[in-house]
Every structure is written in structure tokens, then in C-alpha cells.
Amino acid sequence: MSKQSAAAKAANDRAEASGLSQFDTLPRRILTLYLPLFVFVFVLLFPFYWMVITAVKPDNQLTDYQTYSPFWVVGPTLEHIKYLLFETSYPGWLWNTMVVAVCSTFLALAASVFAAYAIERIRFTGARVTGLMIFLAYLVPPSILFIPLAFIVFQVGIFDSMFALILTYPTFLIPFCTWLLMGYFRTIPFELEELALVDGATRWQILTKVVLPLAVPGLISAGIFAFTLSWNEFIYALTFISSSENKTVPVGVLTELVRGDIYEWGALMSGALLGSLPVVILYSFFVDYYVSSMTGAVKEKRRRAGTADQGQAAHRCARRYGRGCQIFRHPRASFRGLRVLSE
């Protein structure tokens, strides 16, 4: 066995070395790594750079390209930001957007957790079909849904209020979050739930004390996506809100700062810059959870038996209850379980 393992390790080392041989020389590294990376970073960051320099440019530099370079700013000013914050309703738009995004995100996450858990873990008849239908519902464009939703909003009497957005945004957030959480719940081993069932835990206890603590990265990732979609949503906010004081940032910036054919580019870019900061801050705080949820924080295979899995389950059980655990086969079930030993 030792010779076979050594040969396998040597083969893996040779494969890794051959796979990285393309980065041996500097010209190859420039062509295969640095140049594509530079193009990617340039395409990604240049719009933000243009937005920042336009937000701090004086008005005379925004159109005089013969005297001033369009890619740089001379004598930056904060007049556009001052005008946006103190002479428009932008602070109110920002508050409305924050309230709507946070409330709709929490509603969508609460509904998505129950839906994803029921589809992936309870294993009822038609679960796969239900999951597929939820995913297909996410593919329906909002440009089609806003017409019947507008009729409902008018009938309920919540037109031109934040409730119209808080209650309609989950129509496209819940399918997306459910589909995302279904994939994450699928990576959590079934053995953990089975052990909890042996100990007498209810489904609610399993969800709140076993599944959700392990699914924190997935919940944060779904929350970030839902918050971003709510923050940037435009069609529903344009349709269901008419008064200036109730508008959100995407609608308010476009409808209130563009007067006919006159575009206040400094104020527009300042509004876009300030409106993107909350999302950037949110991503910066939870980037580790976001990456772990995308790569799969729990990568155990669904195996009912096996010495390694049994040892890991016993170790988790001992850590959870602070006592030793013994592996046994449940007399009235087709799975193995753990018995917590008495002190």
C-alpha cells in the first residue's frame, strides 16, 4: 500500500508541475496571466473611475474637452455632492431604498428558508418538480409581472407607498433565494439530521439548531444577492411610486435630476456614487461568507456508512454534547445513529 500511495503522490506531483509549466517564463506569465488580469480589472473598474472623476469635476470641465482632459480632473470640487444632499430629496430616496431593501430581503429570506428546507430535506412527493417550478418562476421577467402586480397594488390600496415595494419585491427575490439555498442545503449531510431525530429533536429544532447554523454562509450570500437586487430594482419602483418623497435612488436620480434634455452629469454621477456605497460596504464586510457559500462550505458526501464518516459524526456529537458518543444501528430505521453516553 505504501508503494502504491507513493506512486500516486508522485503522479499527482508530476501532473501539478505539468499544469503549472505555462507560468515558468516571464513572457508566458505576461501573456497568460498578467494581460488577461489587467484587461479584466480595467473593464471592471474603469466605469467606477469615470463616475468618481465626473462627480468631482467642475461644470466647465464636463464639456470642455479641448482644454481639459476627459480622463482627469483639475481642481476637484464637492459642489455636485453638496447640491445632491442639501438641495434635492436624495437623502429621503436613500432612506426609502434602505428600508425597502432590508424589509424585502428579510421577508424573502424567511420564506426561502422554509421553502428550500422543505424541498431538499423533507423529501415529499413532487419536491423536485416544485423546485423546478420555483426556478422557472425566477426566469419570468419583471417587465411581464409588473402589469398584474400593478392591478393588485391598486386594488389593495398601497399604491405610492413603500409597502407596495416591500410586498412586491419578494415576488422575484423568493424564487432566486430559494433556488440558491436549495443548492446549499443539499451540501449539508443528512446524517446530522438523522442523529438529531434519534435524540428526539423536532423538525423545527433541526432547522434552527442544526441546519441554519451550518447554512450561515449560504444565508448571507442569499441575503447579499437579495439586498442588491432590491437596491437596484427600477421597474416596480417606477410603476408603483409617483410622489418624489417616496421614490428610491434608482428612480429618483433618473426622474428628478434629468430635466427634459438637460442632464446634470455631476449630480447624476454623485447620486450613482453615493448609491453604490452601501452595497460595496455590505460586500466588503461579508466577502468571506460570500466566497465560502459559492465554493461550498460543507463538502461531505452523502454516505450512510464508512469508518471516516462515523468517526466524524461521533466527534461532532461529542463536541456538541460534551460527552462521549457511541455508534449504533437504530432498531426501527435504516440508518446508523449515535447514542450519547451518560456521564
Side-chain angles (χ1 to χ4, degrees):
M1 290 295 295
S2 59
K3 293 182 179 180
Q4 294 179 356
S5 60
K9 183 178 180 181
N12 291 333
D13 293 340
R14 287 194 299 270
E16 292 178 0
S18 61
L20 297 176
S21 61
Q22 56 185 356
F23 301 111
D24 290 343
T25 61
L26 181 60
R28 288 186 177 181
R29 286 200 300 270
I30 293 176
L31 185 61
T32 59
L33 179 62
Y34 298 135
L35 184 59
L37 184 61
F38 172 77
V39 173
F40 174 78
V41 172
F42 177 79
V43 173
L44 184 66
L45 297 182
F46 181 77
F48 295 95
Y49 170 76
W50 186 267
M51 182 170 58
V52 171
I53 64 172
T54 305
V56 298
K57 271 186 179 182
D59 289 330
N60 61 325
Q61 297 184 28
L62 292 175
T63 55
D64 189 2
Y65 291 154
Q66 295 181 352
T67 306
Y68 302 98
S69 172
F71 302 104
W72 192 246
V73 56
V74 179
T77 179
L78 297 178
E79 289 298 323
H80 301 304
I81 299 178
K82 180 181 177 182
Y83 166 77
L84 187 72
L85 295 178
F86 299 103
E87 299 183 30
T88 65
S89 301
Y90 188 84
W93 304 338
L94 201 62
W95 172 254
N96 295 338
T97 309
M98 182 67 69
V99 171
V100 170
V102 171
C103 294
S104 57
T105 298
F106 274 103
L107 286 177
L109 281 181
S112 300
V113 165
F114 293 119
Y117 180 79
I119 293 172
E120 284 297 329
R121 314 300 283 191
I122 297 182
R123 296 177 252 181
F124 59 91
T125 304
R128 291 301 174 189
V129 177
T130 304
L132 179 60
M133 295 300 294
I134 290 177
F135 178 71
L136 294 178
Y138 172 70
L139 299 180
V140 178
S143 57
I144 296 177
L145 290 177
F146 86 93
I147 298 176
L149 286 176
F151 177 78
I152 296 174
V153 167
F154 275 106
Q155 293 296 321
V156 175
I158 57 176
F159 177 76
D160 197 19
S161 67
M162 286 190 292
F163 287 105
L165 303 182
I166 293 174
L167 297 179
T168 54
Y169 281 3
T171 58
F172 62 87
L173 295 180
I174 290 177
F176 177 78
C177 293
T178 302
W179 173 72
L180 192 65
L181 290 176
M182 282 171 55
Y184 198 85
F185 285 166
R186 197 177 298 122
T187 65
I188 299 177
F190 279 95
E191 286 81 357
L192 300 180
E193 294 187 34
E194 293 166 348
L195 299 177
L197 288 172
V198 171
D199 288 338
T202 62
R203 280 292 179 182
W204 175 255
Q205 291 174 329
I206 293 173
L207 176 63
T208 56
K209 296 182 180 181
V210 178
V211 176
L212 289 184
L214 293 175
V216 168
L219 293 174
I220 292 178
S221 178
I224 290 176
F225 273 109
F227 183 85
T228 305
L229 291 174
S230 302
W231 188 272
N232 297 326
E233 202 281 327
F234 181 79
I235 295 179
Y236 291 170
L238 179 64
T239 306
F240 303 147
I241 303 295
S242 60
S243 58
S244 176
E245 61 273 11
N246 291 331
K247 291 181 178 179
T248 58
V249 169
V251 176
V253 169
L254 184 62
T255 59
E256 301 291 333
L257 299 181
V258 178
R259 297 175 175 86
D261 58 348
I262 300 176
Y263 295 83
E264 301 180 14
W265 289 113
L268 285 170
M269 292 300 174
S270 299
L273 177 62
L274 296 179
S276 62
L277 290 181
V279 178
V280 173
I281 294 173
L282 181 66
Y283 273 88
S284 64
F285 274 108
F286 298 107
V287 63
D288 293 336
Y289 292 99
Y290 172 74
V291 173
S292 63
S293 67
M294 291 295 100
T295 56
V298 182
K299 297 182 179 179
E300 297 185 30
K301 295 182 180 179
R302 301 176 188 175
R303 292 182 298 180
R304 298 293 181 181
T307 306
D309 285 352
Q310 294 174 7
Q312 292 175 5
H315 179 65
R316 285 192 297 266
C317 178
R319 284 195 307 173
R320 180 176 179 81
Y321 295 100
R323 287 172 285 175
C325 298
Q326 179 183 8
I327 300 173
F328 74 104
R329 181 173 292 278
H330 196 270
R332 293 189 301 273
S334 60
F335 59 83
R336 294 179 183 273
L338 293 177
R339 179 185 291 113
V340 182
L341 301 179
S342 59
E343 295 181 352

